[in-house]
Amino acid sequence: MQILLSAAALVPASIPSPDWSGFDIPLPWGSLRIHAYALCILLGIVVGLWLTSVRWARRGTPEGSVWDIVIWAIPLGIIGGRLYHVVSSPDAYFGPGFDGTGDLSRIPKIWEGGLGIWGAVVLGVVGAWIGCRRAGVKLPAFLDAAAPGLLLAQAVGRWGNYFNQELFGGPTTLPWGLQIDPDNANFPAGMPADTLFHPTFLYESLWNIAGVLILLALDRRFHFRRGRLFWLYAMYYTLGRVWIEAMRIDDAEQINLFGVTARLNVWTSILVFVVALIVFVLLGLKGRQESDSPYLTGREPVVDEDTADDKSVRDADSNVSDSESRDNLADNQSGSGNPSVPTEEVLASPAGNESVPDSPAVGDSGHKATGSAPEAGTSK
């Protein structure tokens, strides 16, 4: 018991604020700052691509085609994510009420944080469509393969918010409350320095990891096609994003709909959930009216007919040889040891007259052979 109490005392009563946010690489003209936020995003992309490439290869797709697709999807996704963040949180860039007091030069500074998932998904899908067309594969097939990997990438990338000490929730007294450096620009004004906050980055990361396992299990059970797994991903993610987004206290664009004022991301999540649910149901009602092949029509792999014909000939020859061997073996075993006469050979008398095929063969000594030739026409 004493050991358990000692171990419990070592467990921190809160999540400490990070004391590291990156490192510098010295260069002849200065230094290059590598931000922890960027490393989390890159690590998320790597693990997401790994899972996607494994699932994509299992669909029998062209080797290397996943890279032909993501080379378009990733850059456009990052651009779209940044643009959505700027639109949904415009004060830092355009000033409150678009009064011009913001700093437009901060828009391309992604390392400071701020990538909106919806902009990333929309432009990322556009990039994936371009890559799929060039690779000759169907976009819905790729989206189904990429859905769990996309959720895994988001789970890892969310930790960038921790290192940037941003996008946390309201105050809490829970033992997993998050510490924020009081000197940090994101620390809420007027709150005590020892205030703990909900670690919404952790909530979303755990929610996404659970979603990866759920999507993989459902796909193994139901084998979703035609984009249905992607729309299932959209429903799952937005379901969690609504309550997680509602906990945040950072500045964001507020929208009033139906007498309810909520953050733009909350309304966006609700809208995406409804759309995803409708599309998912409609695709299920539509049934399978097309092939499950991931290839576009006319872009299927070409089978080398010569190679296929050669293989068929080899297989046929092998079957014939095996048949002849079995026939000869049976003939040899049925007689007194004399080899059987092949059916293709015509038995001729010394006078040149052909003998009747089913007549017994006559040996040199004038005695009839004990073995019998197989009947003409027996298949080999």
Side-chain angles (χ1 to χ4, degrees):
M1 185 64 179
Q2 185 64 32
I3 296 177
L4 293 177
L5 293 176
S6 300
L10 296 176
V11 177
S14 62
I15 301 175
S17 60
D19 55 5
W20 179 83
S21 61
F23 58 93
D24 295 314
I25 299 179
L27 298 173
W29 54 85
S31 62
L32 175 63
R33 180 68 176 175
I34 304 298
H35 295 265
Y37 179 88
L39 293 177
C40 290
I41 297 297
L42 290 175
L43 180 59
I45 292 174
V46 170
V47 296
L49 278 178
W50 166 76
L51 181 56
T52 299
S53 61
V54 170
R55 288 173 50 80
W56 188 235
R58 289 175 179 173
R59 293 294 307 272
T61 53
E63 183 178 359
S65 61
V66 66
W67 304 109
D68 297 332
I69 300 171
V70 300
I71 198 173
W72 290 91
I74 292 177
L76 287 179
I78 293 176
I79 293 173
R82 186 59 174 177
L83 291 178
Y84 182 88
H85 168 74
V86 171
V87 172
S88 60
S89 302
D91 290 357
Y93 313 100
F94 304 100
F98 296 89
D99 59 6
T101 59
D103 185 1
L104 295 177
S105 67
R106 295 181 59 187
I107 292 179
K109 296 179 179 180
I110 298 178
W111 55 88
E112 293 182 353
L115 288 174
I117 182 60
W118 305 124
V121 169
V122 171
L123 280 191
V125 168
V126 173
W129 175 79
I130 296 174
C132 286
R133 298 293 296 182
R134 295 170 64 89
V137 294
K138 299 175 183 177
L139 175 62
F142 178 76
L143 293 180
D144 282 337
L150 179 57
L151 204 53
L152 181 60
Q154 291 174 242
V156 176
R158 268 301 166 200
W159 282 83
N161 298 140
Y162 169 70
F163 290 103
N164 273 6
Q165 301 191 52
E166 61 182 0
L167 304 184
F168 44 84
T172 181
T173 57
L174 293 171
W176 56 81
L178 175 65
Q179 297 179 12
I180 298 296
D181 187 350
D183 296 330
N184 190 284
N186 294 322
F187 192 90
M191 289 191 178
D194 59 349
T195 302
L196 300 180
F197 302 91
H198 279 287
T200 51
F201 81 92
L202 180 60
Y203 298 161
E204 186 169 330
S205 182
L206 294 176
W207 176 268
N208 291 347
I209 291 175
V212 172
L213 300 178
I214 292 174
L215 290 181
L216 291 176
L218 290 177
D219 192 40
R220 175 173 293 185
R221 172 65 178 82
F222 298 103
H223 304 287
F224 292 111
R225 294 294 185 267
R226 294 171 292 121
R228 296 190 77 203
L229 190 67
F230 175 79
W231 293 109
L232 192 62
Y233 145 78
M235 283 190 288
Y236 177 85
Y237 178 72
T238 52
L239 190 63
R241 185 63 185 268
V242 168
W243 64 268
I244 295 173
E245 186 73 24
M247 298 177 67
R248 291 178 178 170
I249 59 175
D250 55 287
D251 294 333
E253 191 73 10
Q254 302 289 325
I255 303 294
N256 184 284
L257 291 176
F258 313 109
V260 178
T261 300
R263 296 160 67 95
L264 173 61
N265 283 332
V266 172
W267 290 117
T268 303
S269 297
I270 294 174
L271 176 62
V272 172
F273 177 86
V274 172
V275 172
L277 176 60
I278 294 174
V279 175
F280 180 83
V281 172
L282 290 178
L283 289 174
L285 295 176
K286 183 179 179 181
R288 295 186 177 181
Q289 298 181 357
E290 59 182 25
S291 171
D292 282 341
S293 170
Y295 292 92
L296 291 171
T297 303
R299 301 291 295 273
E300 296 86 354
V302 178
V303 178
D304 190 337
E305 296 182 358
D306 294 338
T307 303
D309 291 342
D310 290 344
K311 183 178 184 300
S312 299
V313 171
R314 288 195 300 270
D315 292 342
D317 290 344
S318 176
N319 293 335
V320 171
S321 299
D322 292 343
S323 177
E324 289 177 346
S325 298
R326 288 191 296 270
D327 289 343
N328 292 337
L329 179 61
D331 292 336
N332 292 337
Q333 292 176 346
S334 65
S336 60
N338 297 328
S340 61
V341 181
T343 58
E344 287 83 354
E345 297 179 1
V346 179
L347 300 177
S349 63
N353 297 325
E354 295 181 355
S355 63
V356 180
D358 55 359
S359 299
V362 181
D364 293 338
S365 61
H367 298 288
K368 294 182 180 180
T370 58
S372 61
E375 295 182 359
T378 302
S379 61
K380 301 178 180 179

